[in-house]
Amino acid sequence: MRRLAALLPLLACLAQPAAAQHLRIGLNSDPDVLDPTLSRTVAGRQVFAAMCDKLVDINERLDIIPQLATAWRWADDGKALVFTLREGVRFHDGEPLTGEAAAIGLRRHLDTPGSTRKAEMGPVTEVVATGPLEVTIRLSEPFAPLLAALADRAGMLVSPRQARVTGADFQREPACAGPFRLTRRIAQDRMELERFDGYWDGANIHVDRVTYRPIPDATVRLANLRAGALDIIERVSPSDVGDVRRDQRVRIAQAPSLATFYLAINVANGARAQTPLGQDARVREALELAIDRQALVNVAFEGLWVPANQAVPPDHPFYARSVPMPQRDVARARALLREAGHQRVRVKFSVPNTTDYLQASEVIQAMAAEAGFDIEIQLIETATLLNQWTAGDFEALIIQWSGRVDLDGNLFAFYACGVPLNGGRYCNRDVDAALTEARRSVDTAVRAAAYDRAARQYLADRPYINLWQPLTLHGVGASIQGLRLVPDGLIRVQGLQGARG
């Protein structure tokens, strides 16, 4: 009898349902608006990886692979892209994915005021349903980067019921077609998502809830991972890599990255562009010559990152070899300032309030001081900084672009005239023409020549100064399995398991 009594609590536990699996992810910053048409932040892309499936995705080798579409083909001599859609897909509000629903979702990216996806999609003239499970994008001319653009936010579809709801109103009750749906967002604190039972690939989802926590301080983020309060974190600081590798509670997940970090300079956006740095290319050249990129990554990032003067590394087929990375030259920098009529130049430098940005900015501040620049660092929350960038409320800022598979996605939205991500309003018609030529051709040699021609001009004008390219360094709890490392750095929830209740 005593033996039976001892077994009763155990039997009671066995009879209870298993605790819901809860995956907790630490982000480097808080996203801006959780609307795929309007979003601009890397943090937003992380959350969308669980919320909003795309027409296509990329894999570890940067191949385009199916997601909401199972097949695609170019037609009409490259002026139409036709997608066959997956059967059985439903949006979070229960609406089915059809050819017409996909057309409405894609037109949303084109028609919504302030859309940051429109430029990514190129010269689209029409998006129409051409079958119950087929959608066709028609173009005025061939546009090589389109398929790669649809592997990111431009390819995310929302329910037709929500297509006209945008921005803050949309994120209150978003209806995408991903494995999780947003249930609550507390700004600067968390985003809570719950599993969507109608997800088409439900067999590959092994957790019931996902919570994203924005924690800008890399040390605090890592401490939460080590304590078991988080399961995965993005952007482990290079200075912590050695310690993490010696800690059996956690591990480093490392992979190549498409990302690049750069300085953006306000050259024509409002009154704050009226500065020596904004108005004189010689002053911008002096600032670049003040920076030793290799020393910067050695000091700020333990030498793990790769110095960069372009949006892609030197081994990339579209790297402009005619403009190699300039070396630091303090004497030349001082001479350029004198030539421009200045002994010293003051610069207000807007910096996201995260550890890696601050460390790099302080190194740049010290280097630039030797060349005649007095840099004032202003720490700003990332989403606020991006709003200021758009509004022209900055002189110079440092920011990351998470990178795209096709080089067009790293250049056109920044250097073309009048596009949304061109916060400093740089505009050079020769650069526009070269970037447009590269978009219109599928010939690699033609595209490489056009990108080289554009680079010779925009790297001389310096509305942006590229600095370094990172590795993807995620911190992962020892119990977590199934994390796939793709160079875009996004934490894909499909296949992840080992989270606790």
Side-chain angles (χ1 to χ4, degrees):
M1 183 68 72
R2 284 194 299 268
R3 185 179 180 187
L4 177 60
L7 284 172
L8 286 176
L10 175 60
L11 292 171
C13 289
L14 291 174
Q16 292 176 356
Q21 298 297 294
H22 183 193
L23 183 69
R24 300 151 307 168
I25 299 174
L27 301 179
N28 185 62
S29 61
D30 198 39
D32 57 351
V33 63
L34 290 176
D35 180 333
T37 299
L38 301 175
S39 168
R40 295 178 58 179
T41 59
V42 179
R45 293 179 74 215
Q46 291 287 11
V47 180
F48 289 135
M51 281 176 53
C52 302
D53 278 9
K54 304 159 288 192
L55 285 172
V56 291
D57 199 5
I58 60 173
N59 65 13
E60 295 86 338
R61 299 181 301 278
L62 298 181
D63 302 320
I64 305 291
I65 60 174
Q67 197 167 64
L68 294 179
T70 58
W72 51 91
R73 58 184 173 85
W74 289 99
D76 191 19
D77 296 324
K79 292 193 290 185
L81 184 55
V82 184
F83 287 93
T84 301
L85 302 173
R86 189 179 298 278
E87 293 187 42
V89 174
R90 290 194 173 273
F91 295 98
H92 294 157
D93 62 358
E95 286 288 296
L97 174 62
T98 63
E100 183 58 32
I104 291 171
L106 291 170
R107 289 197 294 264
R108 180 182 195 263
H109 294 317
L110 298 170
D111 299 338
T112 300
S115 170
T116 50
R117 308 283 82 83
K118 183 175 182 179
E120 298 171 358
M121 296 177 70
V124 176
T125 58
E126 187 180 35
V127 184
V128 293
T130 45
L133 286 173
E134 185 177 275
V135 64
T136 297
I137 303 172
R138 297 192 175 119
L139 307 158
S140 61
E141 59 193 18
F143 181 61
L146 178 58
L147 184 59
L150 296 173
D152 196 66
R153 285 167 291 192
M156 293 177 186
L157 303 178
V158 307
S159 169
R161 291 181 182 175
Q162 289 287 80
R164 296 182 180 275
V165 181
T166 60
D169 291 332
F170 176 81
Q171 76 175 12
R172 290 192 187 99
E173 195 175 356
C176 290
F180 292 85
R181 64 183 188 90
L182 182 70
T183 57
R184 184 168 68 149
R185 178 179 187 182
I186 303 174
Q188 306 298 324
D189 181 68
R190 69 184 62 203
M191 287 127 292
E192 297 176 350
L193 287 74
E194 68 178 16
R195 180 172 178 161
F196 173 50
D197 290 335
Y199 183 54
W200 63 269
D201 192 22
N204 205 21
I205 302 299
H206 307 294
V207 298
D208 298 289
R209 293 185 293 145
V210 180
T211 297
Y212 293 90
R213 296 290 305 273
I215 303 176
D217 190 299
T219 301
V220 176
R221 205 160 57 244
L222 178 58
N224 275 268
L225 177 70
R226 285 174 147 166
L230 294 172
D231 300 299
I232 302 174
I233 62 171
E234 63 169 353
R235 297 201 205 176
V236 173
S237 174
S239 61
D240 291 324
V241 168
D243 285 343
V244 173
R245 286 179 172 153
R246 291 187 290 270
D247 189 338
Q248 295 184 352
R249 298 169 297 176
V250 295
R251 67 182 189 275
I252 290 285
Q254 177 177 320
S257 172
L258 296 171
T260 185
F261 285 75
Y262 55 88
L263 302 180
I265 298 164
N266 190 348
V267 297
N269 193 352
R272 295 197 66 183
Q274 304 304 312
T275 65
L277 187 67
Q279 297 304 300
D280 197 324
R282 294 171 296 183
V283 178
R284 297 193 291 275
E285 181 180 1
L287 179 59
E288 180 173 26
L289 290 174
I291 299 170
D292 183 329
R293 289 173 170 86
Q294 186 63 62
L296 170 61
V297 300
N298 287 347
V299 173
F301 306 115
E302 303 294 318
L304 290 176
W305 297 165
V306 180
N309 75 314
Q310 299 181 34
V312 289
D315 60 353
H316 192 281
F318 291 153
Y319 181 84
R321 289 169 178 77
S322 63
V323 194
M325 192 178 318
Q327 300 301 305
R328 189 182 196 223
D329 189 338
V330 173
R332 175 62 181 155
R334 286 185 171 277
L336 283 167
L337 288 187
R338 289 194 298 270
E339 184 181 314
H342 309 284
Q343 288 299 315
R344 299 194 70 82
V345 171
R346 297 185 62 83
V347 177
K348 289 186 177 179
F349 201 19
S350 300
V351 177
N353 62 335
T354 66
T355 307
D356 50 356
Y357 285 115
L358 179 57
Q359 289 174 341
S361 299
E362 289 174 342
V363 175
I364 293 170
Q365 182 185 50
M367 289 178 174
E370 297 177 14
F373 289 91
D374 298 314
I375 292 179
E376 177 188 342
I377 294 174
Q378 300 176 317
L379 289 177
I380 302 173
E381 190 274 326
T382 302
T384 301
L385 184 147
L386 291 175
N387 289 333
Q388 292 177 352
W389 182 11
T390 302
D393 187 16
F394 76 102
E395 293 180 20
L397 59 85
I398 186 169
I399 199 68
Q400 174 195 11
W401 178 242
S402 51
R404 300 295 181 269
V405 176
D406 192 289
L407 182 58
D408 179 85
N410 299 330
L411 296 181
F412 194 86
F414 296 92
Y415 291 100
C417 301
V419 291
L421 294 182
N422 186 351
R425 294 191 182 170
Y426 171 71
C427 183
N428 184 299
R429 297 300 175 185
D430 291 336
V431 171
D432 255 22
L435 294 179
T436 300
E437 179 182 341
R439 294 183 130 197
R440 290 173 175 168
S441 178
V442 295
D443 186 308
T444 300
V446 171
R447 298 190 78 196
Y451 284 133
D452 189 83
R453 190 168 72 252
R456 288 198 300 271
Q457 184 63 59
Y458 67 68
L459 291 174
D461 293 340
R462 293 178 178 84
Y464 302 91
I465 299 175
N466 288 280
L467 296 170
W468 72 84
Q469 289 157 338
L471 295 173
T472 295
L473 292 178
H474 294 330
V476 185
S479 65
I480 300 297
Q481 303 298 322
L483 177 63
R484 292 193 302 118
L485 294 176
V486 179
D488 62 8
L490 299 184
I491 299 168
R492 288 162 171 79
V493 295
Q494 292 85 349
L496 284 176
Q497 51 189 316
R500 293 167 289 185

